[in-house]
Amino acid sequence: MSGPGGLAPSRGIRFAALGDSLTAGVGDPVDGGWRGWAALLGGGLGGGDFRNFAVSGALTRDVEEDQLPAALDFAPDLASVVVGVNDTLRCAFDIQDLARRLDRVCHALAARGTVLLTACLPDPGTMLGLPAPLARPLARRQRAVNAVVHALSERHGAVHLHMADAAWVADRTLWSADRLHPGERGHRMTAARFHDLLAARGLAPGPAPSLEADRPPPTRTAALAWLATAGTGWVVRRCQDLLPELLRLAGDEVQHWARGTTARLDLHAEHALSGALAALGARSPGPSLARMGE
């Protein structure tokens, strides 16, 4: 069992990472595989054991149904739960279902004394530089996810990292060629920021991960090369699921913009979020959704 503060220093800190490609390390290649922020952070926790259960492409449903049971068997002292972006990229996006699932994941881990690590994330439309009619619907969805993560983080006393701020998004040297995942510098920055937050709580006995990158940030040529190769496959896969829905959302966006009724879309999203938070017993979001999760 965990000791004071949720840790068990006598046997070393056991750290479990749950989530999607961000936590799996995509964007930080080493030795033919991926490393990523979670592995870097694990090396700065004074020994112990680290397991990465994150899987590229995972939805919140996958974290609950597949990763959580394995993580509970591992009995971690620390567990990161960073997921939700892939949910926003699906036509069946349902903020209430996501909130219920994420709440069950956080509760199951926190109930056994595990200290949670969470993060709010930038929306993929902004990261990809999509036109406004395409970007706005994704932004609403990601802000709703972030609002749920904020509420659950507060409820469970999680160590929360704010990754949706403008400075983080604007610094392209932190991001990989695909413009969706951090590059090596971004992963190192994420690990270091989490380490600082843990150290402030007395939960990081090891040295902070280095910010010194082994490789230069991707060039514009590398980004174009990714779009022409792996990026094409990514777009094709998303076209089968996301694109029809995204085009419908963009059509609604344009129509409401032309009529001057865009606020109705914000209100609809705010009502859905309010319902999700109410079901969790969390407080209503209050101000316009345009400011939620930022």
Side-chain angles (χ1 to χ4, degrees):
M1 294 297 293
S2 299
L7 301 184
S10 62
R11 59 167 170 76
I13 297 173
R14 300 168 72 90
F15 173 34
L18 292 75
D20 52 30
S21 56
L22 172 66
T23 302
V26 172
D28 183 25
V30 290
D31 301 326
W34 302 113
R35 178 179 52 188
W37 70 267
L40 291 165
L41 177 61
L45 295 177
D49 198 359
F50 166 65
R51 301 277 181 87
N52 197 336
F53 299 99
V55 176
S56 183
L59 304 170
T60 305
R61 178 190 66 226
D62 302 315
V63 171
E64 180 190 17
E65 296 178 357
D66 301 328
Q67 299 178 29
L68 177 61
L72 290 174
D73 287 343
F74 176 58
D77 303 301
L78 289 174
S80 62
V81 181
V82 182
V83 68
V85 171
N86 287 319
D87 294 82
T88 70
L89 294 169
R90 296 297 189 273
C91 62
F93 176 76
D94 182 341
I95 189 60
Q96 295 194 29
D97 180 70
L98 180 148
R100 287 191 295 267
R101 290 182 181 277
L102 196 56
D103 184 36
R104 290 194 291 263
V105 171
C106 292
H107 175 76
L109 289 164
R112 64 162 310 280
T114 300
V115 176
L116 296 175
L117 282 69
T118 61
C120 57
L121 303 171
D123 70 87
T126 297
M127 297 307 302
L128 290 170
L130 297 178
L134 295 172
R136 286 188 188 122
L138 295 180
R140 287 191 192 93
R141 290 180 172 189
Q142 188 59 49
R143 286 169 181 158
V145 172
N146 287 345
V148 167
V149 171
H150 277 293
L152 292 177
S153 298
E154 183 177 348
R155 169 181 291 179
H156 297 291
V159 176
H160 180 74
L161 178 60
H162 195 69
M163 293 176 63
D165 59 89
W168 169 260
V169 174
D171 188 350
R172 288 297 176 182
T173 66
L174 297 174
W175 298 90
S176 66
D178 67 14
R179 300 181 67 171
L180 274 177
H181 300 94
E184 181 190 356
R185 287 190 67 238
H187 279 285
R188 288 186 176 277
M189 180 71 74
T190 302
R193 290 172 70 180
F194 263 127
H195 188 276
D196 288 346
L197 293 172
L198 287 168
R201 294 195 186 187
L203 304 179
S210 172
L211 292 174
E212 195 68 32
D214 299 324
R215 297 173 300 280
T219 63
R220 180 173 177 80
T221 300
L224 291 174
W226 179 87
L227 288 171
T229 55
T232 301
W234 184 89
V235 170
V236 170
R237 290 191 298 273
R238 286 296 179 266
C239 283
Q240 299 173 12
D241 177 63
L242 173 67
L243 190 57
E245 173 70 2
L246 188 55
L247 290 176
R248 184 191 69 77
L249 292 173
D252 288 345
E253 196 78 36
V254 171
Q255 289 182 18
H256 280 278
W257 175 82
R259 298 169 185 164
T261 56
T262 302
R264 293 182 184 177
L265 295 174
D266 294 330
L267 187 60
H268 177 76
E270 189 172 340
H271 284 165
L273 174 58
S274 295
L277 294 177
L280 297 178
R283 63 182 177 85
S284 173
S288 170
L289 184 65
R291 303 301 306 171
M292 289 303 300
E294 295 184 342

